[in-house]
Every structure is written in structure tokens, then in C-alpha cells.
């Protein structure tokens, strides 16, 4: 990487990513924007490989565009239920609307006429 400005910017942006004040994908957008507008970066033949290494390091696997992800099938195994492993849901309804949970209803019934103001 020959562009000193890009090196300085990447260091600054990476610190912001670590502090969680910048998203990793946003950092890589800034890198791409700088490379497109910088003559020193455009003339650097090794820069695309270095940027891809940074992209793989900074971005989590789920944020790497699908076109650039490695296509090995072992990274995300397919999960499907086997016969007999299916989940069976049982619905049970319990009517507790008439249950006296704290005993307040029974105490109100014991009031006499003298207790009423």
C-alpha cells in the first residue's frame, strides 16, 4: 500500500469500528470511495488484494457480499428435521378466571351493614 493518506484513514476508521462508532461495512465503503478518487491508489497494482484482505478481516462473514464469499458448503450446514424429530405442540387451556388468588373476594362478602359508611 503506497498511499500514506489511505493508510492513515484506514487506521482512523478501524479505531472507530473498534469503538463501535462506525459500522465495518461503512468503513469499507469509505475505503472504496478513496481508492476510486485517488491517483496513487489507482496506480498501485497490489492494492486490490490488500483491500480484500482488510475486507475479510474487518467484515463479519454475514456481511461479506455473496459474490465474494468462498463457496465451500461446510460453512453453513443445512438443518432440516429428520422423520420422527418433528415438534408436536400440545394445546392446553386452563380456566383460572374464577380462582381466588389473593382471597379479597371472600373478605368483601363478610361485610355487615355496620361496616358500610
Amino acid at each position: 500500500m503506497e498511499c500514506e493518506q489511505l493508510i492513515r484513514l484506514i487506521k482512523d476508521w478501524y479505531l472507530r469500528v473498534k469503538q463501535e462508532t462506525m459500522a465495518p461495512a461503512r468503513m469499507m465503503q469509505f475505503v472504496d470511495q478513496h481508492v476510486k478518487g485517488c491517483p496513487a491508489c489507482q496506480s498501485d497494482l497490489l492494492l486490490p488484494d490488500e483491500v480484500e484482505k482488510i475486507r475479510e478481516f474487518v467484515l463479519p462473514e454475514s456481511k461479506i457480499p455473496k459474490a465474494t464469499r468462498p463457496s465451500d458448503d461446510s460453512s453453513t450446514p443445512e438443518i432440516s428435521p429428520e422423520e420422527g424429530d418433528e415438534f408436536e405442540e400440545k394445546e392446553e387451556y386452563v380456566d383460572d378466571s374464577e380462582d381466588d388468588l389473593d382471597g379479597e373476594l371472600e373478605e368483601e362478602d363478610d361485610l355487615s351493614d355496620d361496616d358500610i359508611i
Side-chain angles (χ1 to χ4, degrees), residues 58-102:
V58 171
L59 287 177
E61 178 73 23
S62 63
K63 300 294 181 186
I64 297 175
K66 290 183 180 181
T68 61
R69 280 190 206 164
S71 63
D72 70 42
D73 294 330
S74 64
S75 62
T76 54
E78 184 177 326
I79 301 173
S80 61
E82 297 178 14
E83 291 181 36
D85 285 348
E86 295 181 21
F87 179 74
E88 194 172 304
E89 186 174 330
K90 294 180 182 179
E91 291 186 30
E92 291 185 27
Y93 177 74
V94 178
D95 183 17
D96 62 351
S97 61
E98 295 182 19
D99 290 346
D100 183 20
L101 300 176
D102 54 3

Side-chain angles (χ1 to χ4, degrees), residues 7 11 22 29 43 55 69 75 86 108 110 113:
I7 293 170
K11 287 179 181 179
M22 180 184 292
Q29 286 178 337
S43 65
R55 187 179 315 275
R69 280 190 206 164
S75 62
E86 295 181 21
E108 291 177 9
D110 294 339
D113 290 336

Side-chain angles (χ1 to χ4, degrees), residues 1 12-14 18 29-31 34 45 49 60 73 75 77 80 92 96-97 99 103 106 115 117:
M1 199 175 296
D12 180 53
W13 293 331
Y14 185 69
K18 283 297 183 190
Q29 286 178 337
F30 287 151
V31 170
H34 175 84
L45 299 176
D49 293 334
D73 294 330
S75 62
S80 61
E92 291 185 27
D96 62 351
S97 61
D99 290 346
E106 292 176 10
D115 294 336
I117 300 176

